[in-house]
Amino acid sequence: MIPNDDEVAGGYNFAYLDEQTKRMVRRAILKAVCIPGHQVPFGSREMPLPAGWGTGGLQVTASVIGPDDVLKVIDQGTDAATNAVSIRAFFRRVAGLATTERTREASLIQTRHRIPETPLTEEQILVLQVPQPEPLRQLVPRGAAARRLHAFADYGVMYVKLYEDIARFGRVTLAYDYPVLVNGRYLASPSPIPRFDNPKLDNSRALSLFGAGRERRLYAIPPYTRVASLDFGDHPFEVQRWSVGCALCGSRASYLDEIGSGGPGARMFVCSDTDYCEERREASAPARRAAGGGRP
Amino acid sequence: MEPLTDAMVCLRGVGKSFTFHSRGLSVEALRGVDLEVRRGECVALDGPSGAGKSTLMRTLYGNYLAGAGTVRVRHGGELINIAGADPHIILEVRRTTLGYISQFLRVLPRVPTLDIVAEPLIAIGTSREAARERAAELLEKLNVAPALWSLPPATFSGGEQQRVNIARGFAVPCPILLLDEPTASLDAANADSVIALIEEARARGTAMIGIFHDAQVKARVATRQLTLTRSS
Amino acid sequence: MSRAVVLRASGLRKVFGGRVVACADIDFELAAGEVVGIVGESGSGKSTLLRCLAGLAAPDAGTVEIAIDGGERVDLWQLDEVARAQALRSALGLVHQNPRDGLKLGISAGGNVAEPLMVSGIRHYGRLREVALDWLERVEVPRRRIDDLPSTFSGGMQQRLQIARSLAPGPRILLLDEPTGGLDVSVQARLLDLLRSLVRELGVAALIVTHDLGVARLLADRLLVMLRGRVIEAGLADQVLDDPQAPYTQKLVASMLRI
């Protein structure tokens, strides 16, 4: 969807940030791409959005996006959530950008908490909003100490966390933000995506950029980079599985959300990725989308 | 003077003084001691109390630093001067060549008797089983009741502890043995078994130097005598 | 017979604040499998020396060489920080006086023993578990305590756990800083016994800093006596203790005998 002229606000530089700031962020991104998984500091700016609502992703998107790009914004899998709606509207206003809800049509996808089910391509960039870029933060509270461990590639503390989980609960309990080793070198947070999405980062065709505005850090996973979720040989990494398929599209390969279906005690699972779900339903019954069928 | 080609121990002009810095005092304990001991010989050190018998034994063992002269022992094929040798060499000589049997056992609180006796053998590479077998044999010869073997000797009587220590001293068949009053405070029967071990070792060709207060024991085991006099 | 040297300090010097000489002209070697004691009063520089050897404090002059995998020796303080950390990780274990400095109190006993193995690349939970249990047994911590936090352990048990943690990766060198310092006498005896048998059994070279000459006599093959930052006497442990030469060593030994 291309914005109407009256939707676009005057008086702003293209994509809100001034060109000097974009250059600074792009330099940081270039460095991040060169050192996959390594956190690069950048001069995070005030954005017209509270810190913690995606200001890092916003600045990364603003720095790499061009007038011909088509933007998709996802929040928890859906384009319709508040955060997604307002960030999409922001770029329509300050960049006059075309936006879409379809994964296949987007050239740049900014997302929070999910990676689309539809496989990405070499033509696409994925921008992830990151609240806490430091995967060791919980284990090593001091930033300098954590940076030393990265420098030494000493990730024993993270393995200890996994060890303790298995000793105590019989399995690793991390359901999201499950740490990954990027290119065999740097431990990184994949952002708070479900561990279900971790395998999508491995050897992805798309460039993934991670922005943390409040923490003033960004990092990157270039296309075709090995991304391994930490595990033990005898306790291999596993993604979530469901005993049922999506109640709407029947997919058994996507990440499912549990929703109430109206009836007392009844539980229902549907795709978290609304675009993927719709696309599948369209493919089986093309008339439904035209009739306005979305999520119930 | 060159040592005899078959000498196991060769002391030349050995002297030792103790300097007590805090009292500004120096005491000479040994002066000009010469001694050669061959295979199968047992030399009894003799002399009045304070003549330096114990000092000489300790100097031979490297426990005291010799102040003058050379203290050579045959280790492997060559004579090594203990006086001024590198500590690693002394330890090496002690492990395989130079045994010291004294009256006093430094007790480790929790090590069982059998392992205390077996330990020197294990230290030179004997298998644990073989070392324990040899230890049991020695303890039996020295009349230490098998019921005690699995216990640490901390609670044993003085005589029992002494016999455990003697067993430990005989565990490795060292070619040179220093015997510091090995039978003191043992009853006649136990003294006999210690003497039997000493005679056995001598028959094997072990060169021995000892302090024996008991004249009968000395007469039985010593082949000759070196008399020390007070040097100061 | 010459045994492989696993640690060598040459001309080591550490000065604090430009004036206070903590240690100077330190030269010594640690051979494979031997136990060397460093004795002296507090303030004699022995702990500073240990810190220089353990990679915790950079000396102002001199070198510290340690043998790494393959027996080759590297100059610790010529290495960059990452290489130094790697060399130390594989070659050297450190036991602090206070077990709280050497353990992570927020993770289980098993996790404490297994962590250095995970750092060195073991990625098999069952194997880590096995090694941790084996080490707990060797240091006489009941197997059932494997998932308990060390903060629930007695002081002696914490110290034994720290020893397990430092030995589990199989270092050639073990540095111990007053390992029995904070313990009751009865607990000390047990720990010393354990240390003695472990060191003998594993053939690890140990350097033990202590002000307790009884500890030195029981554990050490050789002794270095330190006074005001310098080694003033060195030799066979029993010889130094029974026939001390330097005035200070005589005083030190005499003071021990009075107790």
Side-chain angles (χ1 to χ4, degrees):
Chain A
M1 283 195 302
I2 296 164
N4 302 322
D5 284 352
D6 56 350
E7 233 183 298
V8 180
Y12 286 106
N13 189 36
F14 176 77
Y16 187 77
L17 290 178
D18 62 272
E19 293 304 314
Q20 285 303 319
T21 298
K22 288 186 194 170
R23 282 179 58 177
M24 175 270 292
V25 176
R26 284 177 200 142
R27 279 198 196 108
I29 291 173
L30 281 174
K31 183 171 176 182
V33 168
C34 292
I35 316 173
H38 173 61
Q39 299 165 51
V40 179
F42 78 105
S44 185
R45 298 290 190 256
E46 283 294 327
M47 297 301 283
L49 194 74
W53 286 71
T55 53
L58 210 60
Q59 291 175 80
V60 169
T61 298
S63 302
V64 298
I65 206 157
D68 300 331
D69 272 312
V70 180
L71 177 69
K72 170 180 163 76
V73 185
I74 319 171
D75 179 6
Q76 308 261 24
T78 169
D79 302 75
T82 322
N83 195 246
V85 169
S86 59
I87 289 174
R88 204 162 50 227
F90 173 76
F91 280 110
R92 287 172 73 86
R93 271 171 68 81
V94 300
L97 279 177
T99 55
T100 180
E101 298 191 1
R102 316 235 67 168
T103 299
R104 286 180 209 287
E105 288 168 9
S107 60
L108 196 150
I109 302 168
Q110 180 172 335
T111 178
R112 166 176 179 256
H113 292 193
R114 280 308 315 277
I115 293 174
E117 307 290 1
T118 309
L120 302 179
T121 69
E122 289 175 1
E123 309 302 320
Q124 294 176 307
I125 295 176
L126 185 69
V127 176
L128 293 106
Q129 301 170 202
V130 184
Q132 178 47 257
E134 179 49 73
L136 301 171
R137 180 58 189 262
Q138 291 294 316
L139 309 168
V140 186
R142 280 178 49 239
R147 284 194 288 280
R148 277 178 67 87
L149 293 182
H150 282 295
F152 294 168
D154 177 349
Y155 298 127
V157 282
M158 189 50 93
Y159 279 99
V160 169
K161 154 79 183 149
L162 304 189
Y163 166 94
E164 298 271 287
D165 262 15
I166 298 171
R168 219 173 300 162
F169 308 110
R171 65 194 169 84
V172 177
T173 56
L174 293 165
Y176 62 91
D177 206 351
Y178 191 105
V180 293
L181 195 66
V182 179
N183 199 27
R185 177 59 184 85
Y186 282 99
L187 188 74
S189 153
S191 84
I193 56 173
R195 63 201 273 183
F196 180 88
D197 283 343
N198 274 21
K200 294 174 187 162
L201 290 170
D202 184 27
N203 274 304
S204 165
R205 289 160 185 260
L207 166 66
S208 305
L209 300 174
F210 299 76
R214 190 188 51 214
E215 304 294 328
R216 301 188 183 88
R217 291 283 186 281
L218 55 82
Y219 51 104
I221 300 175
Y224 302 107
T225 300
R226 171 122 178 76
V227 177
S229 304
L230 295 201
D231 64 0
F232 292 112
D234 52 342
H235 282 261
F237 173 80
E238 276 174 358
V239 298
Q240 293 98 331
R241 303 231 172 273
W242 290 264
S243 53
V244 295
C246 171
L248 300 176
C249 74
S251 172
R252 302 192 70 98
S254 88
Y255 187 79
L256 301 182
D257 283 337
E258 185 183 340
I259 57 167
S261 65
R267 299 194 317 171
M268 202 166 102
F269 290 91
V270 297
C271 289
S272 143
D273 184 340
T274 50
D275 169 62
Y276 169 84
C277 195
E278 273 169 36
E279 197 174 66
R280 276 178 56 87
R281 277 142 61 205
E282 260 170 39
S284 56
R288 281 176 72 174
R289 187 179 174 90
R295 280 171 79 159
Chain B
M1 190 162 73
E2 277 305 299
L4 298 171
T5 47
D6 59 346
M8 295 300 290
V9 176
C10 178
L11 309 187
R12 286 280 183 273
V14 174
K16 173 67 186 168
S17 299
F18 294 97
T19 304
F20 301 98
H21 294 278
S22 58
R23 289 181 235 168
L25 191 70
S26 189
V27 179
E28 189 175 48
L30 296 174
R31 183 196 292 168
V33 178
D34 295 322
L35 173 65
E36 247 165 56
V37 187
R38 269 169 269 179
R39 281 171 47 83
E41 277 195 306
C42 179
V43 178
L45 299 182
D46 197 43
S49 170
K53 301 187 293 293
S54 259
T55 300
L56 183 61
M57 297 276 275
R58 286 167 173 259
T59 306
L60 243 166
Y61 197 58
N63 180 234
Y64 286 171
L65 283 179
T70 56
V71 179
R72 283 181 287 184
V73 297
R74 187 170 299 283
H75 174 64
E78 52 181 334
L79 284 170
I80 286 176
N81 186 7
I82 292 288
D86 181 277
H88 293 124
I89 307 249
I90 299 180
L91 287 171
E92 165 74 21
V93 168
R94 285 181 183 180
R95 259 190 296 275
T96 54
T97 297
L98 188 60
Y100 192 98
I101 294 170
S102 75
Q103 312 171 60
F104 303 107
L105 175 62
R106 186 165 300 129
V107 177
L108 298 161
R110 298 186 313 147
V111 181
T113 295
L114 193 66
D115 289 342
I116 287 183
V117 178
E119 196 183 58
L121 279 167
I122 293 168
I124 59 166
T126 311
S127 76
R128 195 168 290 271
E129 298 72 49
R132 284 196 172 142
E133 214 166 282
R134 171 74 181 146
E137 192 186 310
L138 284 163
L139 287 168
E140 208 169 326
K141 280 189 181 169
L142 290 163
N143 308 318
V144 178
L148 300 178
W149 296 357
S150 60
L151 303 175
T155 55
F156 293 4
S157 73
E160 279 162 348
Q161 290 195 6
Q162 192 181 341
R163 278 176 283 142
V164 171
N165 202 33
I166 289 169
R168 179 179 159 99
F170 277 106
V172 175
C174 288
I176 305 168
L177 269 183
L178 307 177
L179 307 163
D180 190 353
E181 302 196 42
T183 58
S185 75
L186 292 182
D187 62 34
N190 284 320
D192 268 349
S193 48
V194 173
I195 289 165
L197 280 175
I198 294 172
E199 284 174 334
E200 212 175 89
R202 207 185 61 207
R204 226 179 17 238
T206 307
M208 289 181 277
I209 300 168
I211 303 172
F212 309 96
H213 277 172
D214 185 314
Q216 281 181 319
V217 173
K218 191 195 292 184
R220 278 182 65 182
V221 299
T223 53
R224 63 191 167 97
Q225 189 161 300
L226 174 72
T227 304
L228 297 173
T229 53
R230 284 185 209 215
S231 49
S232 48
Chain C
M1 192 187 103
S2 69
R3 289 202 281 176
V5 173
V6 293
L7 185 146
R8 170 184 287 147
S10 319
L12 214 58
R13 181 182 178 82
K14 177 76 181 169
V15 180
F16 289 119
R19 285 194 319 246
V20 184
V21 179
C23 53
D25 307 329
I26 307 281
D27 294 287
F28 75 90
E29 291 180 346
L30 186 64
E34 74 168 330
V35 180
V36 172
I38 301 183
V39 297
E41 293 165 343
S42 36
S44 60
K46 44 191 205 307
S47 288
T48 301
L49 171 60
L50 200 74
R51 289 176 60 79
C52 291
L53 302 178
L56 299 175
D60 295 306
T63 59
V64 176
E65 293 168 65
I66 64 169
I68 55 169
D69 293 332
E72 174 204 355
R73 273 199 306 271
V74 295
D75 183 348
L76 204 55
W77 293 101
Q78 286 299 312
L79 298 175
D80 66 55
E81 232 181 315
V82 172
R84 181 159 63 241
Q86 267 161 6
L88 288 169
R89 200 186 283 162
S90 62
L92 188 142
L94 176 62
V95 175
H96 298 265
Q97 172 171 7
N98 187 341
R100 286 159 183 271
D101 295 334
L103 293 173
K104 293 195 172 164
L105 298 179
I107 64 177
S108 66
N112 265 290
V113 177
E115 183 184 5
L117 301 165
M118 295 187 231
V119 173
S120 65
I122 297 187
R123 301 281 180 262
H124 190 281
Y125 176 80
R127 175 90 193 105
L128 291 165
R129 200 75 181 159
E130 231 169 71
V131 174
L133 280 169
D134 178 49
W135 271 104
L136 291 185
E137 206 158 271
R138 290 172 97 153
V139 300
E140 299 164 18
V141 171
R143 290 166 70 99
R144 64 186 156 75
R145 303 296 303 266
I146 186 168
D147 293 326
D148 294 350
L149 294 179
S151 49
T152 66
F153 288 8
S154 68
M157 207 191 276
Q158 283 183 0
Q159 194 56 297
R160 297 202 301 279
L161 183 64
Q162 192 194 181
I163 289 166
R165 177 178 159 97
S166 56
L167 286 176
R172 278 195 195 78
I173 307 163
L174 185 67
L175 307 182
L176 304 110
D177 188 7
E178 304 274 9
T180 58
L183 303 175
D184 295 342
V185 175
S186 61
V187 179
Q188 277 188 21
R190 180 178 185 183
L191 190 78
L192 288 174
D193 242 18
L194 181 75
L195 269 176
R196 190 173 168 280
S197 53
L198 279 178
V199 164
R200 295 270 185 274
E201 204 177 296
L202 302 169
V204 62
L207 190 70
I208 179 163
V209 161
T210 180
H211 68 275
D212 184 335
L213 298 187
V215 170
R217 189 187 275 278
L218 194 64
L219 290 181
D221 301 315
R222 288 195 295 134
L223 284 185
L224 306 176
V225 183
M226 283 188 75
L227 174 66
R228 288 194 284 276
R230 284 161 207 275
V231 175
I232 54 151
E233 185 161 356
L236 267 183
D238 59 280
Q239 180 262 302
V240 169
L241 294 171
D242 293 338
D243 188 16
Q245 306 294 305
Y248 172 75
T249 314
Q250 291 187 352
K251 239 170 67 188
L252 201 67
V253 171
S255 68
M256 173 184 74
L257 294 177
R258 270 205 299 276
I259 292 167

